[in-house]
Amino acid sequence: MIEDKNQQRTSIAQLGEFGLIEHLTRNFDVTQESTLKSIGDDAAVLDFKDKKVVVSTDLLIEGVHFDLAYMPLKHLGYKSVVVNVSDICAMNAKPTQITVSVAVSNRFPLEALDELFEGITHAAKEYKVDVIGGDTTSSQKGLIISITAIGEADEDELVYRNGAKQTDLLVVTGDIGAAYMGLQVLEREKQVFQVNPNNQPDLDPYTYLVERQLKPEARKDVRTLLHALDIKPTAMIDISDGLSSEIIHICKQSKVGCNLYEDKLPLDPQFISTCEEFNIDSTTVAINGGEDYELLFTIDINDFDKIKGNPNFSIIGHMAEENEGIHLVTRANTKIALKARGWDALSE
């Protein structure tokens, strides 16, 4: 959290727009056969032949989606790619390309953008996506990042939000809630630091939670895992805005109800202990906290034997008739109506 006052600073204006683009994109490699033309022309050219194209885009704005007081620029670059790749994975598609657009104020030197793009480059290599274009411009409001992700899939592989059936099982990957608690830890340490800059934060007890917030991973492996199990989800979505919000999205678009079981929620031990430390109910955080980027999906009940006991997946509920509603079933076997209390970018 302590800024090095002796860092080298190179004015972006020295390079100009095209010089800056050339500088920032010099490390991007082309690895996908479908990339016919990448950066350097008026537009990229992709050839998907018989594949279906999947496209998603997200906007990350300083002060709204991230705080540079504790978000390193390299991690921000990595995360900005992950949140978009996750949307492609949620369609049961393979991510293949991204475009990157950045707006920066004059308080950012070239070295800061180098850090940001180092993270983007690392993520592009990790997820095997080509960076095929984008834009750079100035900003009066700090840093803004917009990434568009492109993916491919055969038509019969694609999974939408509207395919869940009344008897389907509700399944989630990994564990949930940790990213939100990582944010709470970072916000607390920021406030402590502001009061006493000599007090260095001790994040060792919260390493998993902080990593889930600063460097999340998209579940690119789930497509392969499900294929190996001979399971095709009936509906799927990624958990970016909170489990409750995502369940409601699936239910509304599939015209079904749902029973989510509290005792089936997959929670990490570090998450549970930190909730206790903060005196926050772990279930409330688990179903409402966002930015886990796990995948939530429904499967046919006949696929139960294929997935039960698999350490990558947790069966957390089942779908129901639409008129039954959407509920959380507590450990005391009480039904509580599930409400969307997750992240809303436009809320005041």
Side-chain angles (χ1 to χ4, degrees):
M1 292 184 181
I2 295 179
E3 182 182 358
D4 182 359
K5 302 296 184 181
N6 298 317
Q7 291 181 1
Q8 179 184 355
R9 293 177 64 88
T10 305
S11 170
I12 294 174
Q14 291 179 230
L15 282 76
E17 180 181 359
F18 297 111
L20 177 62
I21 292 171
E22 185 177 344
H23 177 88
L24 294 176
T25 61
R26 66 194 186 282
N27 294 322
F28 293 136
D29 299 320
V30 172
T31 61
Q32 298 290 333
E33 290 183 8
S34 51
T35 307
L36 297 186
K37 179 64 179 178
S38 181
I39 297 168
D41 216 305
D42 288 309
V45 180
L46 310 178
D47 178 13
F48 287 92
K49 299 181 173 66
D50 297 327
K51 297 284 186 180
K52 299 300 178 183
V53 180
V54 180
V55 181
S56 180
T57 191
D58 264 311
L59 196 62
L60 298 177
I61 300 174
E62 183 180 354
V64 177
H65 301 98
F66 59 88
D67 187 337
L68 292 178
Y70 48 72
M71 170 65 83
L73 285 165
K74 184 176 179 180
H75 286 71
L76 177 61
Y78 190 94
K79 183 175 181 177
S80 65
V81 174
V82 166
V83 301
N84 286 275
V85 166
S86 182
D87 284 332
I88 304 301
C89 295
M91 300 294 294
N92 203 36
K94 172 189 172 186
T96 50
Q97 287 92 4
I98 59 172
T99 65
V100 180
S101 297
V102 179
V104 289
S105 68
N106 57 12
R107 88 171 198 267
F108 291 91
L110 178 62
E111 287 75 20
L113 284 184
D114 276 339
E115 280 189 55
L116 178 72
F117 272 74
E118 188 179 347
I120 292 172
T121 304
H122 181 53
K125 291 178 179 176
E126 176 68 26
Y127 289 94
K128 296 181 173 58
V129 294
D130 295 339
V131 182
I132 59 168
D135 193 18
T136 57
T137 189
S138 60
S139 164
Q140 294 182 335
K141 298 293 183 182
L143 178 60
I144 301 172
I145 307 167
S146 176
I147 290 185
T148 297
I150 301 165
E152 63 178 33
D154 292 333
E155 187 170 8
D156 61 358
E157 293 178 309
L158 289 170
V159 178
Y160 303 96
R161 298 178 181 180
N162 62 359
K165 306 186 302 295
Q166 294 176 7
T167 57
D168 284 352
L169 300 175
L170 185 66
V171 184
V172 70
T173 64
D175 59 81
I176 54 177
Y180 179 86
M181 285 312 298
L183 179 62
Q184 300 315 299
V185 169
L186 290 167
E187 284 286 352
R188 181 185 68 181
E189 296 305 318
K190 174 188 172 182
Q191 292 173 14
V192 171
F193 180 78
Q194 287 174 338
V195 173
N196 182 8
N198 294 319
N199 189 1
Q200 289 298 301
D202 179 15
L203 298 177
D204 286 344
Y206 316 102
T207 51
Y208 179 67
L209 307 182
V210 170
E211 182 178 12
R212 291 282 279 178
Q213 171 58 220
L214 297 185
K215 189 178 176 289
E217 299 291 352
R219 294 305 303 262
K220 64 175 181 177
D221 58 325
V222 169
R223 185 171 182 258
T224 303
L225 289 169
L226 291 175
H227 182 76
L229 294 171
D230 191 29
I231 294 174
K232 181 186 176 182
T234 52
M236 185 151 60
I237 191 171
D238 76 328
I239 303 177
S240 56
D241 300 330
L243 180 67
S244 58
S245 297
E246 316 304 2
I247 289 174
I248 291 170
H249 281 313
I250 288 179
C251 287
K252 285 186 175 180
Q253 295 199 24
S254 297
K255 293 181 170 40
V256 294
C258 179
N259 288 311
L260 169 69
Y261 291 87
E262 181 181 20
D263 62 350
K264 301 296 183 184
L265 295 173
L267 309 179
D268 183 82
Q270 191 176 101
F271 164 78
I272 295 172
S273 62
T274 306
C275 284
E276 292 173 351
E277 178 187 343
F278 277 70
N279 197 26
I280 299 176
D281 180 66
S282 59
T283 298
T284 301
V285 175
I287 65 175
N288 296 312
E291 294 195 296
D292 289 309
Y293 299 105
E294 296 291 345
L295 294 180
L296 175 73
F297 58 94
T298 54
I299 61 171
D300 191 287
I301 194 168
N302 293 318
D303 287 331
F304 171 74
D305 287 335
K306 298 178 184 177
I307 206 170
K308 69 176 181 180
N310 191 303
N312 297 289
F313 308 110
S314 298
I315 300 171
I316 58 174
H318 62 82
M319 313 317 282
E321 292 185 10
E322 185 176 15
N323 59 12
E324 189 174 325
I326 307 169
H327 293 95
L328 171 71
V329 182
T330 69
R331 293 183 179 89
N333 205 32
T334 302
K335 279 190 171 185
I336 301 173
L338 204 61
K339 299 194 181 297
R341 302 187 192 278
W343 166 253
D344 182 352
L346 299 181
S347 65
E348 293 183 358

